[in-house]
Amino acid sequence: MKTEELKKLFDQLSLKEKIGQMVQIPGYFLSEGNITGPALDMGLTQEDIDLAGSVLSVIGADRLKAIQTAYMEKHPHHIPMLFMADIINGYRTVFPIPLAQGCSFDPALAENGAAIAAEEAAAAGIHVTFSPMADLSRDARWGRVMESTGEDPYLNGLMASAMVQGYQGMDHETIPEGKLAACLKHYAGYGAPTAGRDYNTVELSARTLREDYLPAYQRAVEAGCDLVMTSFNTLDRIPSSANRWLLREVLRDEMGFDGVVISDWAAIHELVEHGIAADDREAAKLAVLAGVDIDMASPAYCRNLLSLVKDGEVPESLIDEAAWRILVLKNRLGLFENPYKDASAADETAKILSDAHRAAARKAAADTFVLLKNDNALLPIRQEERIGCIGPYADRRQLSGSWSIFADDSVTETLREAFSGDANVRFAKGCSILDPGAPRVPFGAQKIADEPETDADAALEEALRLAADSDKVILTLGEPNDYSGEAASRANLTLPECQQRLLRETAKVNPNIVVILFCGRPLDIRPVKELAGAILVAWFPGTEGALALTDVLTGKTAPSGKLAMSFPYCVGQTPVFYAQLSTGRPFHGDFRTDRFHSKYLDIPNEPLYPFGYGLTYTSFECSAVTLNKAVMEKSDTIHACVTLANTGSVKGTETVQLYIHDCAASVARPVREMKAFKKVTLSPGESKNVEFVITEEMLRFHDIGMNFVSEPGRFEVFIGSDSTTENKAVFELK
Ligand code: BGC
Ligand code: BGC
């Protein structure tokens, strides 16, 4: 529809209809066609539901078409409804969890995954996905790290913008066929809850917010994402849904966002619980003044905006502004021409879980695994070797992570099934996934079916017999998938005792242990590092995860992932991340001379495995860094170069990473920050020059006056295979 036509339509809407656009109802309100219990609990009437401009979490082409038809018939101006849902790492063809995708260091992988998710979900009638999540995540206790791409602002920005492009396409005028509008979340700072407890208070200085947390959101906004979701947390003691500075000044004025702002689930109503509003009416007023356009799943707007406007407490222009943005979004999706968009039962059948989608998911999964250890080249396994595949994940179907809420695990093969043609691979469970008495998450799409073994000792004995009679053991360990994700914070990051016992006992009968780790977060894996010869982090690899594992375990594909988040030594270190500030007293490792330095008495400062770390089946050598000049003018660039050589015996991919350290600035700068990386694939014996161009923009930061500038002085450039590389050169910025 042309803008003038849309304006005409808009002018005909009553205030009530405009407010209706700003209301999003949960799908279960529609389950019977008319409102059911929960809507009545929220105080919504049938009329409220009939005017609500969007709904979340209903899926299915035929169902959504029927809902749309009925809704539009009733609507006074026949405006179509928006259908939104959480399509996170896939709809039915599930890709690896976002944290795993971060480990690919491959934005094209994330873009392709998002494109496939969009194609499947669009066929199922969805218009908007609540993804990407660009929250910087540095605390492994926080369960939602699984939904982020990790601890690095630069990597997160690349991944978030790639996902936006994958969902929405590159045509900035419309959301074309087979695409979804993307909703960036959770703005802002949601990834930094105090003590790692989900929804908890966030304390960030304005500078840290701008330096580390805002950039990834900004990249996604620049990529053109259509919506932004507010976060649940407070920032400077102000909940995001009431933070006018954050939403109007920073997001709209500074970042230039002109799309729709939606609250997180009931977050406007929760302003009351936060203690900044006396009731829903005050909450609605604060949120609309702050700039939230859509109230997700709370009665605040629906029940109060009309009277707030009538009483002169909220200017009607704010309602106009919000409702207009929502109509513009509907128009971008082409809903005025075709309110069903891509909903098609035939396309659902043809596209969902198609061979091509599954093949892409399998390739993606293989590229997200991170090899942390591989002593004596335990991996890959060889055809003739007799393998004991043991552990609670050896025959487990729940490989998709907690956000795959529309996925059907029955289409996911287990590792045992994936290896079924290979008589040399035999199986035993060994132990249950959790200790007796461990909390079972009582909700979620994929409930923990797995109860403790009735006879744990017998299960262990069977596994040990198999281990003793095998050349190598593949030990599959990890957390259940609903131990990460929303509201799944953990204060202990160790593996359950039953799994640790299985590891200890297996090590006594067979030293050749390869651990495959399934997890939604970095865990404390000290015992695994000590007892296993090889460690492969598989995260939650998705629908094709087990097949991808067979590809990597057998050497058909070499692992190439790098950690997008540090694995802490133990929970007491969290949050631990590479881009920390120095202290005035950095610890150099000697307890006698460094007594009064920044350290722990009982654990090292360093994580067990750092950001950027990951091995493959070959080895690489990286030459010293050379720079084409030692002094850089601001208008100039510097070329930093290394030669990378494959010194092993198989083809492999290395991710060469460039980090920069600003040695003296008007405020303290991180000890290093990743500014670029390149993935390089080399055959055995092959070598290649890898060149990076350092620009003045890469050296900018928020200075003492909060200006985003570079400052003259000395810079160190590190280039290597992970964030601890000491391979460096120095230059000066004039
Ligand atoms: C989550 C969001 C999600 C929303 C809708 C909330 O609880 O924080 O990430 O998009 O629910 O399901
Ligand atoms: C301590 C101070 C102390 C000073 C002089 C420093 O190392 O932090 O508390 O007063 O030494 O002894």
Side-chain angles (χ1 to χ4, degrees):
M1 192 182 271
K2 295 230 165 62
T3 307
E4 304 82 72
E5 274 177 81
L6 193 64
K7 282 214 167 97
K8 263 190 219 147
L9 172 64
F10 183 76
D11 290 340
Q12 292 165 25
L13 301 185
S14 67
L15 180 57
K16 222 178 192 179
E17 283 171 80
K18 290 176 187 165
I19 290 169
Q21 293 301 313
M22 299 168 70
V23 174
Q24 174 160 104
I25 52 169
Y28 53 78
F29 286 9
L30 298 171
S31 52
E32 308 299 326
N34 279 322
I35 59 168
T36 52
L40 290 173
D41 290 349
M42 264 171 61
L44 303 193
T45 64
Q46 186 65 48
E47 192 196 10
D48 295 333
I49 303 278
D50 292 345
L51 289 179
S54 59
V55 66
L56 83 155
S57 289
V58 213
I59 51 156
D62 288 342
R63 175 126 199 265
L64 292 187
K65 279 181 168 171
I67 290 173
Q68 189 73 296
T69 306
Y71 172 85
M72 288 175 68
E73 265 169 26
K74 275 192 186 174
H75 192 277
H77 289 90
H78 315 295
I79 292 180
M81 187 179 230
L82 271 176
F83 297 121
M84 308 196 189
D86 292 275
I87 314 297
I88 310 295
N89 44 308
Y91 177 63
R92 290 265 155 79
T93 306
V94 180
F95 272 63
I97 56 169
L99 184 56
Q101 293 188 36
C103 297
S104 73
F105 277 58
D106 182 3
L109 179 153
E111 182 177 339
N112 191 37
I116 287 173
E119 204 183 325
E120 293 192 0
I126 298 299
H127 306 140
V128 175
T129 175
F130 297 127
S131 175
M133 175 174 126
D135 304 326
L136 187 69
S137 302
R138 291 176 163 175
D139 192 329
R141 292 171 297 182
W142 189 49
R144 294 198 85 165
V145 302
M146 60 79 66
E147 203 185 341
S148 85
T149 49
E151 72 177 55
D152 185 68
Y154 172 69
L155 183 61
N156 284 356
L158 290 177
M159 289 294 177
S161 58
M163 287 182 200
V164 170
Q165 284 164 4
Y167 291 129
Q168 298 194 170
M170 303 297 277
D171 175 354
H172 289 290
E173 293 307 303
T174 60
I175 306 291
E177 196 186 326
K179 294 292 177 190
L180 303 175
C183 178
L184 170 70
K185 67 192 188 184
H186 307 83
Y187 183 75
Y190 183 47
T194 303
R197 176 159 52 82
D198 204 6
Y199 316 128
N200 202 9
T201 310
V202 170
E203 283 296 342
L204 290 173
S205 70
R207 193 181 312 277
T208 299
L209 178 71
R210 287 185 180 278
E211 282 287 301
D212 298 345
Y213 285 80
L214 295 186
Y217 303 119
Q218 167 119 40
R219 297 289 97 76
V221 167
E222 286 163 4
C225 73
D226 270 291
L227 299 94
V228 169
M229 187 187 294
T230 62
S231 58
F232 286 126
N233 56 281
T234 59
L235 203 56
D236 195 20
R237 307 200 179 195
I238 305 165
S240 300
S241 301
N243 194 331
R244 187 200 299 233
W245 170 78
L246 194 65
L247 300 179
R248 293 198 186 272
E249 288 182 36
V250 180
L251 180 65
R252 296 212 182 273
D253 298 348
E254 291 183 27
M255 294 192 195
F257 178 69
D258 62 0
V260 172
V261 172
I262 184 168
S263 79
D264 201 346
W265 180 286
I268 298 181
H269 167 72
E270 289 166 14
L271 298 177
V272 177
E273 205 66 53
H274 273 294
I276 68 155
D279 51 25
D280 272 353
R281 184 181 156 89
E282 195 181 357
K285 179 178 170 180
L286 286 170
V288 81
L289 293 179
V292 183
D293 301 321
I294 299 180
D295 176 1
M296 182 200 294
S298 116
Y301 276 9
C302 191
R303 302 277 76 215
N304 299 292
L305 280 184
L306 194 63
S307 73
L308 282 166
V309 173
K310 297 242 152 94
D311 296 346
E313 290 189 52
V314 166
E316 191 169 345
S317 61
L318 292 188
I319 308 296
D320 283 347
E321 203 181 78
W324 173 250
R325 285 190 200 112
I326 297 159
L327 290 198
V328 168
L329 173 60
K330 291 183 176 182
N331 198 30
R332 275 173 53 67
L333 284 153
L335 298 185
F336 294 104
E337 285 77 22
N338 174 10
Y340 310 114
K341 196 165 183 304
D342 308 314
S344 152
D347 281 352
E348 281 179 296
T349 311
K351 291 180 174 169
I352 289 172
L353 288 163
S354 69
D355 290 348
H357 290 185
R358 293 183 80 139
R362 180 171 178 166
K363 164 116 190 22
D367 289 345
T368 63
F369 301 150
V370 186
L371 184 66
L372 295 180
K373 186 177 175 186
N374 195 21
D375 288 355
N376 308 319
L378 269 183
L379 284 177
I381 55 174
R382 287 185 297 276
Q383 186 87 59
E384 69 281 6
E385 286 173 334
R386 291 158 60 253
I387 305 294
C389 185
I390 295 171
Y393 268 100
D395 200 16
R396 194 175 171 82
R397 216 170 287 291
Q398 284 95 9
L399 302 180
S400 290
S402 64
W403 263 114
S404 303
I405 51 180
F406 304 115
D408 176 1
D409 280 339
S410 71
V411 303
T412 303
E413 284 185 47
T414 71
L415 201 53
R416 179 181 200 150
E417 289 162 349
F419 266 121
S420 61
D422 192 338
N424 268 348
V425 187
R426 293 175 297 160
F427 290 83
K429 188 170 172 194
C431 70
S432 78
I433 196 159
L434 288 169
D435 292 321
R440 259 73 182 166
V441 179
F443 56 83
Q446 300 154 14
K447 296 199 185 73
I448 302 178
D450 189 285
E451 288 305 318
E453 293 298 330
T454 41
D455 190 343
D457 292 337
L460 179 63
E461 271 167 35
E462 185 203 346
L464 295 180
R465 273 197 302 276
L466 173 59
D469 188 38
S470 301
D471 296 320
K472 288 176 183 171
V473 174
I474 292 175
L475 201 54
T476 63
L477 306 176
E479 344 167 81
N481 54 339
D482 33 15
Y483 262 40
S484 60
E486 186 170 352
S489 296
R490 294 185 62 191
N492 291 304
L493 298 178
T494 48
L495 289 168
E497 171 50 28
C498 60
Q499 295 192 33
Q500 296 203 45
R501 175 173 170 226
L502 175 64
L503 170 65
R504 282 194 305 268
E505 296 304 317
T506 305
K508 289 181 192 158
V509 299
N510 192 327
N512 299 320
I513 299 179
V514 174
V515 164
I516 306 180
L517 199 64
F518 295 84
C519 50
R521 55 153 63 77
L523 294 170
D524 170 353
I525 54 166
R526 283 173 291 164
V528 179
K529 186 177 182 184
E530 189 192 325
L531 296 174
I535 307 170
L536 185 71
V537 185
W539 308 106
F540 288 113
T543 310
E544 302 297 296
L547 291 161
L549 276 168
T550 63
D551 293 340
V552 170
L553 294 170
T554 58
K556 198 174 136 200
T557 308
S560 59
K562 297 280 187 176
L563 289 181
M565 205 178 159
S566 308
F567 266 56
Y569 183 86
C570 68
V571 75
Q573 271 185 339
T574 55
V576 62
F577 52 94
Y578 82 91
Q580 58 184 334
L581 304 184
S582 179
T583 66
R585 294 182 171 192
F587 182 58
H588 301 294
D590 187 331
F591 277 82
R592 282 161 308 171
T593 55
D594 282 1
R595 173 155 182 226
F596 290 103
H597 285 246
S598 183
K599 64 177 186 307
Y600 300 100
L601 291 178
D602 49 356
I603 60 166
N605 285 356
E606 292 72 34
L608 198 65
Y609 290 104
F611 175 85
Y613 182 80
L615 307 171
T616 183
Y617 293 155
T618 190
S619 51
F620 295 101
E621 239 173 64
C622 184
S623 71
V625 182
T626 56
L627 303 179
N628 69 337
K629 55 184 86 136
V631 179
M632 176 174 160
E633 304 285 337
K634 282 208 171 176
S635 57
D636 206 2
T637 57
I638 280 197
H639 293 226
C641 203
V642 292
T643 304
L644 186 76
N646 181 340
T647 52
S649 53
V650 291
K651 193 168 162 183
T653 299
E654 177 64 294
T655 303
V656 184
Q657 302 153 42
L658 177 139
Y659 297 86
I660 289 185
H661 174 216
D662 186 344
C663 302
S666 56
V667 296
R669 307 292 323 279
V671 290
R672 58 181 70 187
E673 292 172 294
M674 189 170 73
K675 292 291 177 183
F677 58 82
K678 279 189 179 159
K679 294 192 79 152
V680 184
T681 302
L682 297 176
S683 298
E686 197 187 350
S687 64
K688 199 172 176 176
N689 286 337
V690 185
E691 191 178 75
F692 296 95
V693 179
I694 299 171
T695 63
E696 185 267 333
E697 283 83 15
M698 288 179 175
L699 311 179
R700 292 184 193 170
F701 67 105
H702 294 88
D703 74 356
I704 189 84
M706 285 299 248
N707 309 300
F708 191 61
V709 294
S710 61
E711 287 177 348
R714 211 168 140 249
F715 290 83
E716 291 174 321
V717 189
F718 299 85
I719 302 181
S721 57
D722 66 59
S723 61
T724 64
T725 180
E726 287 302 333
N727 190 28
K728 69 171 181 190
V730 176
F731 71 90
E732 195 190 320
L733 178 70
K734 280 283 234 198

